[in-house]
Amino acid sequence: MKNIYCYRTTSWLLLPALLLALAGCELFEYSPYEVRLKPEERNINEQHIARILAEQPSSSDTLTVALTADTQGFYADNDDMVHHMNHRDDIAFVLHAGDITDYGLLKEFRWIHRSLDRLRVPYVAVIGNHDAVGNGQDVYRAMFGKFDFSFAVGSSKFIFLNTNFLEFDFKAPDLDWLETQLQDRASYKTVFVVSHIPPTSFEFGEHNNDRYQRLLEKYNVSLSIHGHTHRYDFYKVEEEGVDHLTVATTNEREYMVMQIVGEQFKLERVNF
């Protein structure tokens, strides 16, 4: 009995150590809503923008950028897209127009990041409406960083705008912030605004569309880039307005390539 008692006591003493060890790996989680990340999984946008800027081309060079969106749950398609992009030697970086995940869960963010992190080039992602459900806003903020941000490379500026009006309690998009970002337009040959929800959707906040279009026109934005609809589209909201691009989901086996030269850009639909 003494030996049995000692064995049981020892087992209970070892239990906290075992739980601590399990907590440090991915096989054990307290809750599907917790946010526990490895250092390399934090502030991905900031890390990848630093990589982009470290290899910044001169303003006279052609800048080639790939565009994707709505990778949510399409794991095999995403892997195939990454494989296809990696066989090109012209892409400088990849822009993701949101909906990284389906349910905003850490596991989903991690699975998609592991696929996209196999790209030979950096990628930068804006938050989508599916990324903002549950505790997805907390996960995105921890993994990718700010909801609204920008960076410039060469003579081009890229502005990432959170347009998830419903998921952010009608406080998005922050069009005052956007105008602040656009005020240095004269310093760049091209300026691109990247967001998930397009302004033609009621989920953008119908009253926001008019001001958004006025800002695009006032500051001569080169292109407004979106995801969300899962299909390719290229259009103008207003007859004399700024061009808008909607990027298809990876499930459509398609991504976009944009070549930027000076004040001009050219778009190509690429199937994989």
Side-chain angles (χ1 to χ4, degrees), residues 44-46 49 95-96 123-127 140 144-151 157-162 177-178 181 192-194:
I44 291 167
N45 283 339
E46 182 179 328
I49 290 171
L95 302 182
H96 191 306
Y123 78 95
V124 182
V126 75
I127 189 170
Y140 177 92
F144 288 91
K146 296 178 180 178
F147 301 130
D148 298 314
F149 61 98
S150 68
F151 71 93
K157 184 173 184 178
F158 300 88
I159 302 171
F160 297 77
L161 180 67
N162 170 23
W177 177 88
L178 175 61
Q181 288 293 311
F192 304 93
V193 179
V194 184

Side-chain angles (χ1 to χ4, degrees), residues 44-45 68-75 78 81 95-117 123-133 136-137 139-141 143-147 149 160 164 196 227-228 230 249-250:
I44 291 167
N45 283 339
T68 189
D70 299 277
T71 52
Q72 53 196 110
F74 305 125
Y75 301 110
N78 299 334
M81 180 186 69
L95 302 182
H96 191 306
D99 270 7
I100 305 163
T101 68
D102 223 351
Y103 302 104
L105 296 175
L106 173 59
K107 282 185 176 180
E108 294 180 286
F109 278 101
R110 180 169 277 147
W111 289 334
I112 298 298
H113 171 60
R114 285 177 177 170
S115 178
L116 297 180
D117 202 42
Y123 78 95
V124 182
V126 75
I127 189 170
N129 62 310
H130 281 264
D131 304 323
V133 299
Q137 295 179 30
V139 180
Y140 177 92
R141 188 186 293 108
M143 282 194 74
F144 288 91
K146 296 178 180 178
F147 301 130
F149 61 98
F160 297 77
N164 302 296
H196 183 64
H228 190 57
H230 288 209
T249 174
T250 52

Side-chain angles (χ1 to χ4, degrees), residues 186-197:
S187 301
Y188 302 98
K189 294 181 178 179
T190 52
V191 172
F192 304 93
V193 179
V194 184
S195 69
H196 183 64
I197 306 287

